[in-house]
Amino acid sequence: MKLAEALILRADRNKRLELLRERLTRVAKVQEGDRPVEDPTALLVEVDRVASDLTRLIKQINRTNSTVRLSDGRTIADAIADRDGLRMRHTLLTNLIQAAVIKQDRFTKSEIRYETTVDVAALQQQSDDLARAYRDLDTQIQSANWLVDLIE
C-alpha cells in the first residue's frame, strides 16, 4: 500500500469514528419503555475496531514519514514540519498585510489619520515567496506520498 492510500484511509477512519460518536450520542438514552434504534454495545465494538485500525495506520504512517527521505535529504516528517512552518509564517504575513493596508474613512480633518508602520510591498513579496516555497515543498511531499510504500 502506498503512503497516500494510508493517508486516505486514515481520513476515512477519522470520519467513521466521528459518525460513530454521533450515533452513540443519539442512542445513549431513550425514554423509559422505549428501545434505542441501534444497539450501543454493537456500536462500541465498532468504535474499538475502527480505533484500533486507525491507531495501526497512524503508527505505520509515522514510521514511514520518519524513515523515508525526500530528494533533498529531509525525512517526510521533517518536510511536513517545514511546510507547516511556511504556512504559519505566510498566514501571519498575510494577516499583517491586511491590517497594515489603510482605508481612509475620514470625513472631516479632525478625525484620526492612520499611517502604515510596515513596508507592505516588501511584506507582500516575502508572503509570495513563502507561498511559492510552500507549494514547492507540498508538491514534493505529495509526490513522495504516491511513490513510497507504507512501512509495516
Side-chain angles (χ1 to χ4, degrees):
M1 171 186 322
K2 297 296 181 191
L3 177 55
E5 293 172 285
L7 294 169
I8 292 167
L9 285 175
R10 180 185 67 183
D12 179 64
R13 297 307 183 269
N14 279 320
K15 288 176 191 171
R16 179 83 177 135
L17 279 174
E18 178 58 25
L19 178 64
L20 287 166
R21 183 195 64 76
E22 291 171 6
R23 289 168 58 192
L24 275 165
T25 301
R26 285 194 299 264
V27 299
K29 60 184 174 185
V30 294
Q31 256 184 342
E32 189 176 341
D34 286 351
R35 301 188 135 251
V37 292
E38 290 186 271
D39 179 13
T41 305
L43 289 173
L44 286 170
V45 168
E46 179 71 4
V47 165
D48 285 342
R49 187 189 66 72
V50 173
S52 294
D53 192 37
L54 177 61
T55 301
R56 180 188 55 79
L57 273 171
I58 290 171
K59 287 178 180 178
Q60 290 175 308
I61 290 166
N62 289 346
R63 198 170 13 257
T64 304
N65 284 345
S66 62
T67 303
V68 173
R69 296 195 176 274
L70 299 176
S71 60
D72 63 6
R74 283 185 282 196
T75 63
I76 293 175
D78 288 344
I80 290 169
D82 291 342
R83 181 189 65 185
D84 291 347
L86 289 168
R87 180 180 27 219
M88 285 185 289
R89 291 171 47 211
H90 177 263
T91 300
L92 186 137
L93 285 180
T94 302
N95 291 339
L96 176 59
I97 291 165
Q98 289 173 352
V101 173
I102 298 172
K103 274 199 301 189
Q104 295 295 341
D105 292 333
R106 292 176 32 186
F107 300 104
T108 66
K109 288 188 176 206
S110 63
E111 292 183 70
I112 298 172
R113 183 172 181 209
Y114 293 96
E115 296 178 348
T116 302
T117 60
V118 294
D119 183 351
V120 173
L123 289 174
Q124 187 61 60
Q125 181 60 52
Q126 194 176 359
S127 174
D128 292 346
D129 292 344
L130 286 169
R132 188 175 312 103
Y134 175 90
R135 285 190 308 273
D136 291 346
L137 185 52
D138 188 58
T139 300
Q140 288 180 37
I141 293 168
Q142 297 305 321
S143 175
N145 288 345
W146 284 105
L147 296 175
V148 171
D149 289 320
L150 188 67
I151 295 174
E152 297 295 323

